[in-house]
Amino acid sequence: TGNSEIAGKESSINSNSNGEGAAGEVAVTAARTLSITNGGIIAALTANGPGGKISITAPTLSLDAGTISTQTTGHGTAGNVAIAVDRLTLAGGARIDSGSGATNAAGQLVVGTGGGGNVTITATEAVTMQGQSEAVFLSGVFSVTGGRGNAGTVFIATPSLTMDGLTRVASSTQGDGNAGDLELQVGRLTLTGGAQIDSSSGRITPQGAMFIGTGQGGKLTVTATEAVVIAGRSLISPSGLFSQTAGPGRAGAVTVSTPHLTMADGAQI
């Protein structure tokens, strides 16, 4: 297609399996721009069967309060997410994620033994993520497990990755499964206004609730051929690269390789 848009909470492309059968693959190709906005979603959900893969190819992919997601709630493995674009932008709480475990309508976490899928993003020009200083939902790319299944990996390759405000690229475990490794291959990485790249084991919410298991955090590897620039903070968090644990699971290692590293105004590694 040419320019395409998936807009509004009732607008979605879904491939779901609630039993033992495999979910189908979702493949979207746009000739120009694909926009997912205002609650629009592309999702592949599975319980006990193999999850469906989501593949998106377009010159420009823009998400503003939109979601691309694969999830498992049983012993089936969630499908992978593969994004191949020139330019990717995320804003307004937009998410690209894959996970093991999901929250139902009653707010309860439904988990199984299935693993999360891998998230791979290749952008030949740039990836830009824009958040707000007091966001309820973070814009970003996530790999999460809440149960015994391991989370998938996150891989991003682009000449320029710019994150500002409450945005995240994160791999985390809140259960007994291990978090996936997180790898960035970029020319220039810029984190400002509280943006974070994070690998973690366990989570403590702002309200003090604890989600902790024995799972280990994943490795965080950043290779930037030009520069890494980290500066500033939001009202609730500093900009930075983090590996953290809130329970018995070990945090993952953090490796940064770049010819130029600049940190200012409370930035952290």
Side-chain angles (χ1 to χ4, degrees):
T1 63
N3 292 335
S4 304
E5 184 174 18
I6 302 171
K9 294 182 178 180
E10 302 301 321
S11 302
S12 64
I13 299 174
N14 294 298
S15 175
N16 299 335
S17 173
N18 296 317
E20 302 291 335
E25 180 175 345
V26 177
V28 180
T29 300
R32 297 180 181 176
T33 298
L34 174 61
S35 299
I36 305 173
T37 62
N38 299 323
I41 186 170
I42 297 177
L45 310 177
T46 188
N48 297 319
K53 177 181 179 180
I54 296 178
S55 302
I56 296 179
T57 304
T60 299
L61 175 59
S62 176
L63 284 78
D64 189 345
T67 301
I68 298 171
S69 179
T70 63
Q71 301 283 337
T72 178
T73 58
H75 60 251
T77 299
N80 296 330
V81 178
I83 309 291
V85 296
D86 296 333
R87 296 169 300 278
L88 170 64
T89 62
L90 302 177
R95 297 174 61 94
I96 298 174
D97 66 47
S98 180
S100 175
T103 303
N104 63 20
Q108 300 168 321
L109 183 63
V110 181
V111 298
T113 59
N118 300 325
V119 178
T120 302
I121 297 173
T122 303
T124 58
E125 295 183 11
V127 175
T128 303
M129 304 183 196
Q130 181 65 49
Q132 300 174 352
S133 61
E134 296 183 74
V136 177
F137 299 103
L138 303 177
S139 300
V141 179
F142 304 90
S143 175
V144 180
T145 178
R148 287 177 287 170
N150 294 334
T153 61
V154 175
F155 176 81
I156 300 176
T158 184
S160 175
L161 173 55
T162 302
M163 299 168 58
D164 180 60
L166 282 177
T167 55
R168 298 286 186 271
V169 175
S171 174
S172 64
T173 175
Q174 301 166 23
D176 295 332
N178 295 330
D181 292 340
L182 202 165
E183 181 177 1
L184 307 181
Q185 294 183 2
V186 301
R188 183 180 182 88
L189 171 64
T190 304
L191 305 177
T192 56
Q196 295 186 354
I197 299 173
D198 174 48
S199 173
S200 61
S201 174
R203 181 171 68 95
I204 301 175
T205 70
Q207 295 76 28
M210 302 177 70
F211 295 89
I212 296 172
T214 61
Q216 299 179 14
K219 294 184 294 184
L220 168 54
T221 305
V222 177
T223 303
T225 57
E226 297 178 13
V228 173
V229 178
I230 308 173
R233 60 175 298 124
S234 69
L235 294 177
I236 64 173
S237 63
S239 304
L241 306 173
F242 298 90
S243 177
Q244 307 173 86
T245 181
R250 293 181 300 184
V254 177
T255 303
V256 180
S257 176
T258 183
H260 301 286
L261 173 62
T262 301
M263 298 177 65
D265 301 326
Q268 296 182 19
I269 293 181

